[in-house]
Amino acid sequence: MARTLPTIPRKSASQQRSKATVEALLDATARVLVRDGYDRASTNRIAAKAGVSVGSLYQYFPNKEALVAALVARHNREMLQLIRDALKKVASLDLATAMREMVKATLDAHLVDPALHRIFADQVPRMGQLAKIEALKEETFALIRAYLEDRRKEIAVRDLDAATSILATTVEALTHEFVINKPNALDRDRDRFVNEVTRLVAGYLTPGRA
Amino acid sequence: MARTLPTIPRKSASQQRSKATVEALLDATARVLVRDGYDRASTNRIAAKAGVSVGSLYQYFPNKEALVAALVARHNREMLQLIRDALKKVASLDLATAMREMVKATLDAHLVDPALHRIFADQVPRMGQLAKIEALKEETFALIRAYLEDRRKEIAVRDLDAATSILATTVEALTHEFVINKPNALDRDRDRFVNEVTRLVAGYLTPGRA
Amino acid sequence: MARTLPTIPRKSASQQRSKATVEALLDATARVLVRDGYDRASTNRIAAKAGVSVGSLYQYFPNKEALVAALVARHNREMLQLIRDALKKVASLDLATAMREMVKATLDAHLVDPALHRIFADQVPRMGQLAKIEALKEETFALIRAYLEDRRKEIAVRDLDAATSILATTVEALTHEFVINKPNALDRDRDRFVNEVTRLVAGYLTPGRA
Amino acid sequence: MARTLPTIPRKSASQQRSKATVEALLDATARVLVRDGYDRASTNRIAAKAGVSVGSLYQYFPNKEALVAALVARHNREMLQLIRDALKKVASLDLATAMREMVKATLDAHLVDPALHRIFADQVPRMGQLAKIEALKEETFALIRAYLEDRRKEIAVRDLDAATSILATTVEALTHEFVINKPNALDRDRDRFVNEVTRLVAGYLTPGRA
DNA sequence: AATGAATGAGAATTCATTCAT
DNA sequence: AATGAATGAATTCTCATTCAT
């Protein structure tokens, strides 16, 4: 029997395969990290879980850090997408409403994969490449900052950079704290959390109004 | 006349020796962590830096985690002491002033040993015993909460627990963020940082007043 | 004509490699045990002697105990094979002759590698997995028991299990004692040893006949 | 108040104290061996259990092996005493009865401290000094041999040394096997065990009579 | 004599990474 | 490109023994 000739161009096929392998590896990394913790997440274990040989892992990632960094990046991209979408819709809204949407989006972002997020926060050392994967922060900063610029007149703070930092950090930290350490409070009353944080930051930007 | 009995108990000599060894080990751990990072901080390296044998290290700490945990605890205790002292003096002061003192104390606490603090934040995995040691922040919570209780009437937030969480988390996170990622801003204008954070939290507690 | 497919499966190469490594490790373990004793037989030393890295050792054996257990098992299997072969041929023979063959086979078994056998007896702690590996002597028990069952009528002992235990233990212990502690006696007069032990056990099974 | 002068001569006092310490150490060794196994029985642990400092342990025993050897020796002495007493009374008795008494005494000896005996058999490596502490065997051999000499005429074996070896080894091994691996059988029917073993060895010495 | 802190060689084991097939 | 066997440096931890007090 004649061997069937491949109908799909080789390159494309292998490109697709590559992509699938990379995704499988990232998925496996996430699962192993969550299940076993960072310290027990060896490259061999991850490759096995991905149904791929260690050799293949190193075909796509030069070292363990790069693998984890890629996963962090993917996770951040997913979170960022939510923030981006939310802030896109907010341009025309008043400050308080805009802040509320931002808080909600941040919360949604943190709920994308809380278990994985927790591992990143608690166990993955932020050093080397990992230290730099703060792209999430940077774009969030830029987005917020752009919105505030638009509303400059309504805002009581002169130094927009500082205000943006404070805003972003506060919302991020409070969301993180509650998602990680007080998930029950959120389950019970998500709206109250959003209200309070919104009030906190809105009050900061426009004192006296609240 | 009977031979004078030794007034200093026998044990004290070796007890002092023990204590010195433990201190040396903790100091060495701090130095090695800061210099080499968590991953390169092996027990042998730490013992060597402490001028002590590995055996001695394990005489006092059952494993590496316990050693680092003890250091974290010591560091936290030092930071906590500053917060405690500040809040002690604050009982009779008005809200805004009290908040300002709290922010200043938190900042001082973070400046006790920023390099070490950064290692803890970035590299030391929070698992096992380490996860629990954050419990020291429970005392901060209690202290703040007690103050707020006293001033309950002036405060616009009903749920004191939630308010305390938000307050503590916000001040801690902002301080951390600026100490770690924007040290220059602090060097340039520490007062402005304190002002802004104070305004943020005071505004949250007593809206309309600011 | 289509390219000839490789007749030898890909895997076989690496499978053979694996097998060779395992064999090399077991051989090295035996040699190191005999030369240096159990306590000095470190996994690193064994790996070195096998011309293999420690890592490979742990690829195939989860810990030192498993390695030694595998060696004990291999040794027992070799010994058992001799017993098995001997008892196979003995089914139709009379009791005294059968016992003699069993004694001879046991002696041969103990002479497979007396030095190694001595290490096992004297130095290898029988704990954990090792404790269970003596289970191989269960097959000896079963073989003997089956033979006795066949000859039940000629035997003066009612409880066959007890008789088998006594038989097996006696022959084993005497052989061990002489091989280990009185090798000269055996060198001088192997037949006398066989005669005496045979008489001992045959007399037990069929008193009055001897 | 005047210090009471010691009424008991110093030397004797400290000699008694020494003896007590040594006993405490041996007792502690036995308990730790049984509880934790040979590998986990460290000198520090033993000293602690004995209520004595490690330093003191080394005052009385030059090294760990000597300590264990002393314990083995003490245990053997206790066992031997039983054998000795039994064989003393047996001089005038006929072969079968004498053998029976010897088997019973051996069994009693093995029941002195079966747990400890098992540790010695299973876990304590017989090397160095330990290899030589077969004094038990040697004296037992001598005692049995002396008895057989007396009864030479009734015995069918010419080589008394060989016969003694076979006798001693057989009884010892069977007793050991049953005490260690078939304790239930003994609990149920101790007499049967004694009967069978007696018959085995008596039949060997005086064939045709049984 | 006793104490117990200190020692440090050495053991088991892991895991990121390489490379022959 | 994939495979997975092999590598070996590095790490944690133990424990018999010593010795200053």
Side-chain angles (χ1 to χ4, degrees):
Chain A
M1 198 225 275
R3 286 215 268 124
T4 314
L5 290 171
T7 50
I8 299 162
R10 290 243 169 162
K11 206 172 177 185
S12 165
S14 70
Q15 275 174 359
Q16 260 183 268
R17 186 129 80 96
S18 289
K19 206 162 192 176
T21 302
V22 167
E23 289 304 308
L25 281 167
L26 292 179
D27 292 345
T29 305
R31 259 179 285 149
V32 173
L33 279 178
V34 169
R35 182 167 316 180
D36 303 343
Y38 183 80
D39 272 358
R40 302 249 157 248
S42 72
T43 49
N44 277 288
R45 209 178 282 218
I46 289 169
K49 176 69 103 188
V52 147
S53 68
V54 222
S56 290
L57 188 156
Y58 279 89
Q59 200 88 48
Y60 295 106
F61 299 97
N63 52 50
K64 191 187 176 184
E65 199 187 4
L67 174 61
V68 176
L71 180 64
V72 172
R74 189 177 81 170
H75 180 68
N76 280 356
R77 234 177 291 128
E78 287 168 24
M79 291 178 72
L80 187 54
Q81 193 52 49
L82 293 173
I83 311 273
R84 211 160 14 210
D85 290 351
L87 290 184
K88 210 176 285 173
K89 296 178 201 153
V90 131
S92 59
L93 302 179
D94 67 289
L95 259 175
T97 314
M99 289 303 106
R100 163 174 305 269
E101 292 308 309
M102 184 184 85
V103 173
K104 280 161 72 177
T106 304
L107 185 52
D108 287 341
H110 277 254
L111 293 172
V112 162
D113 190 341
L116 187 59
H117 193 72
R118 174 175 215 136
I119 298 286
F120 289 160
D122 284 358
Q123 295 183 32
V124 177
R126 282 169 287 286
M127 30 183 334
Q129 327 180 31
L130 267 302
K132 290 180 194 160
I133 303 222
E134 306 279 307
L136 172 62
K137 260 187 179 172
E138 283 167 28
E139 192 178 334
T140 306
F141 180 94
L143 290 168
I144 296 176
R145 156 103 214 199
Y147 175 83
L148 293 185
E149 190 105 42
D150 256 21
R151 303 268 157 177
R152 177 160 243 156
K153 290 174 214 157
E154 310 167 36
I155 293 173
V157 187
R158 282 188 211 144
D159 183 338
L160 274 194
D161 281 348
T164 306
S165 281
I166 286 178
L167 225 64
T169 302
T170 299
V171 174
E172 160 71 25
L174 287 170
T175 305
H176 185 79
E177 170 71 10
F178 275 77
V179 168
I180 296 296
N181 293 323
K182 305 189 168 61
N184 296 331
L186 282 177
D187 283 351
R188 267 184 268 116
D189 203 342
R190 181 194 152 106
D191 284 347
R192 234 187 93 212
F193 172 78
V194 174
N195 285 343
E196 291 296 287
V197 180
T198 302
R199 194 164 67 72
L200 173 66
V201 296
Y204 170 69
L205 292 173
T206 60
R209 286 247 202 116
Chain B
M1 188 179 167
R3 279 213 277 128
T4 314
L5 291 170
T7 50
I8 299 162
R10 281 272 170 109
K11 273 194 175 171
S12 109
S14 67
Q15 274 175 0
Q16 259 183 273
R17 210 170 156 208
S18 288
K19 207 164 190 176
T21 301
V22 168
E23 288 306 308
L25 281 167
L26 291 178
D27 292 345
T29 305
R31 259 178 287 146
V32 173
L33 280 178
V34 170
R35 183 167 314 180
D36 303 343
Y38 182 80
D39 273 355
R40 302 239 162 266
S42 74
T43 49
N44 277 294
R45 205 178 283 218
I46 289 170
K49 176 69 96 186
V52 145
S53 69
V54 223
S56 289
L57 188 157
Y58 281 92
Q59 195 113 67
Y60 297 105
F61 302 97
N63 50 52
K64 191 188 171 180
E65 198 189 359
L67 174 62
V68 175
L71 180 64
V72 172
R74 191 176 80 171
H75 180 69
N76 281 357
R77 234 177 292 127
E78 286 169 23
M79 292 178 70
L80 187 54
Q81 193 51 49
L82 293 174
I83 311 275
R84 208 156 21 206
D85 290 350
L87 290 183
K88 210 176 284 170
K89 295 177 200 154
V90 131
S92 59
L93 302 180
D94 68 289
L95 261 173
T97 315
M99 289 304 105
R100 166 175 302 271
E101 292 306 310
M102 185 184 87
V103 172
K104 280 160 71 178
T106 304
L107 186 52
D108 286 343
H110 278 253
L111 293 171
V112 161
D113 190 340
L116 185 59
H117 193 72
R118 172 173 217 138
I119 299 287
F120 288 160
D122 283 358
Q123 297 184 30
V124 177
R126 278 170 285 286
M127 23 182 342
Q129 330 182 29
L130 264 304
K132 282 185 192 169
I133 284 217
E134 314 231 346
L136 289 190
K137 85 179 175 191
E138 282 168 21
E139 191 180 334
T140 308
F141 180 95
L143 290 168
I144 296 176
R145 155 106 215 196
Y147 175 82
L148 293 184
E149 189 106 41
D150 254 22
R151 304 270 157 174
R152 179 160 241 158
K153 289 175 213 156
E154 308 166 36
I155 293 173
V157 187
R158 283 189 210 143
D159 183 339
L160 275 192
D161 279 347
T164 306
S165 281
I166 286 177
L167 223 67
T169 302
T170 300
V171 174
E172 161 69 27
L174 288 170
T175 306
H176 185 81
E177 171 71 10
F178 275 77
V179 168
I180 296 297
N181 293 323
K182 304 189 170 59
N184 297 331
L186 283 177
D187 283 352
R188 268 183 267 114
D189 203 343
R190 180 192 153 110
D191 284 347
R192 236 187 90 212
F193 172 78
V194 174
N195 285 343
E196 292 297 285
V197 181
T198 302
R199 193 164 67 72
L200 173 66
V201 296
Y204 169 69
L205 292 173
T206 60
R209 285 245 204 120
Chain C
M1 188 180 168
R3 280 213 278 126
T4 312
L5 291 171
T7 49
I8 300 163
R10 279 271 171 108
K11 272 195 175 174
S12 111
S14 67
Q15 274 174 1
Q16 259 183 275
R17 211 170 158 210
S18 289
K19 205 163 191 175
T21 301
V22 168
E23 288 306 309
L25 282 167
L26 291 178
D27 292 345
T29 305
R31 259 177 287 146
V32 173
L33 281 178
V34 170
R35 183 167 316 179
D36 302 343
Y38 182 80
D39 273 355
R40 301 239 162 266
S42 74
T43 49
N44 277 292
R45 205 179 283 220
I46 289 169
K49 175 68 97 186
V52 145
S53 70
V54 224
S56 288
L57 188 158
Y58 281 93
Q59 195 113 66
Y60 297 105
F61 301 97
N63 51 50
K64 190 187 172 182
E65 198 188 0
L67 174 61
V68 175
L71 180 63
V72 171
R74 190 176 82 170
H75 180 68
N76 281 357
R77 234 177 291 126
E78 286 168 25
M79 291 178 72
L80 187 55
Q81 194 51 50
L82 293 175
I83 311 275
R84 207 155 24 204
D85 290 349
L87 290 184
K88 210 175 285 171
K89 297 178 200 152
V90 131
S92 59
L93 302 179
D94 67 290
L95 261 175
T97 314
M99 289 303 106
R100 165 175 302 272
E101 291 307 309
M102 185 184 86
V103 173
K104 279 160 73 179
T106 304
L107 186 53
D108 287 342
H110 277 253
L111 293 172
V112 162
D113 191 340
L116 186 60
H117 193 71
R118 173 173 216 137
I119 299 286
F120 288 161
D122 283 357
Q123 296 184 29
V124 176
R126 277 170 287 285
M127 13 179 355
Q129 331 182 27
L130 264 304
K132 281 185 193 169
I133 284 218
E134 312 232 346
L136 289 190
K137 86 179 174 191
E138 282 169 22
E139 190 180 334
T140 307
F141 180 95
L143 291 169
I144 296 177
R145 155 103 216 200
Y147 175 82
L148 293 185
E149 189 105 43
D150 254 21
R151 304 269 156 174
R152 179 159 240 157
K153 290 177 212 157
E154 309 166 36
I155 293 173
V157 186
R158 280 185 215 145
D159 183 338
L160 275 193
D161 280 347
T164 307
S165 281
I166 286 177
L167 224 65
T169 303
T170 300
V171 174
E172 161 70 28
L174 289 170
T175 305
H176 185 80
E177 170 71 11
F178 276 77
V179 168
I180 296 297
N181 293 323
K182 303 188 170 61
N184 297 330
L186 283 176
D187 283 353
R188 267 185 269 114
D189 203 344
R190 180 193 153 108
D191 283 348
R192 236 187 91 211
F193 172 77
V194 175
N195 285 344
E196 292 296 286
V197 180
T198 301
R199 193 163 68 72
L200 173 66
V201 296
Y204 169 69
L205 292 174
T206 60
R209 286 246 204 118
Chain D
M1 186 186 176
R3 288 215 267 122
T4 314
L5 290 171
T7 51
I8 299 161
R10 289 245 170 159
K11 205 172 177 186
S12 166
S14 70
Q15 275 173 0
Q16 261 183 268
R17 186 129 81 95
S18 288
K19 206 161 191 175
T21 302
V22 167
E23 288 305 309
L25 282 167
L26 292 179
D27 291 344
T29 305
R31 259 179 285 148
V32 173
L33 280 177
V34 169
R35 183 169 315 180
D36 302 343
Y38 183 79
D39 272 357
R40 301 247 158 250
S42 72
T43 50
N44 277 289
R45 208 178 281 219
I46 289 168
K49 176 69 102 188
V52 146
S53 67
V54 223
S56 290
L57 188 156
Y58 280 89
Q59 200 87 48
Y60 295 105
F61 299 97
N63 53 50
K64 192 189 176 182
E65 199 187 4
L67 175 61
V68 175
L71 180 63
V72 171
R74 189 177 82 171
H75 179 68
N76 279 357
R77 233 177 292 128
E78 286 169 25
M79 292 178 71
L80 187 53
Q81 193 53 48
L82 292 173
I83 310 272
R84 208 156 22 206
D85 290 351
L87 290 184
K88 209 176 286 173
K89 296 178 202 153
V90 131
S92 59
L93 302 179
D94 67 290
L95 259 175
T97 313
M99 289 303 105
R100 164 175 302 272
E101 291 307 309
M102 184 183 86
V103 172
K104 280 161 73 178
T106 303
L107 186 52
D108 287 341
H110 277 254
L111 293 171
V112 162
D113 191 340
L116 186 59
H117 193 71
R118 175 176 212 133
I119 299 286
F120 288 160
D122 283 358
Q123 295 183 31
V124 177
R126 282 169 286 286
M127 26 180 340
Q129 326 180 31
L130 267 304
K132 291 180 194 160
I133 303 219
E134 306 278 309
L136 171 62
K137 260 187 179 172
E138 284 165 27
E139 192 178 334
T140 306
F141 180 93
L143 291 168
I144 296 176
R145 155 106 216 199
Y147 174 83
L148 294 185
E149 188 106 43
D150 255 21
R151 303 268 157 176
R152 178 160 243 157
K153 290 176 215 156
E154 310 167 35
I155 293 172
V157 187
R158 286 192 206 138
D159 183 340
L160 274 194
D161 280 348
T164 307
S165 281
I166 286 178
L167 223 65
T169 302
T170 300
V171 174
E172 160 70 26
L174 287 170
T175 305
H176 185 79
E177 170 70 11
F178 275 76
V179 168
I180 295 296
N181 292 324
K182 305 189 167 63
N184 296 331
L186 283 177
D187 283 352
R188 266 186 269 115
D189 204 343
R190 182 194 152 108
D191 284 348
R192 234 186 95 212
F193 172 78
V194 174
N195 285 344
E196 292 296 287
V197 181
T198 302
R199 193 163 69 71
L200 173 66
V201 296
Y204 169 69
L205 292 173
T206 59
R209 286 245 204 116

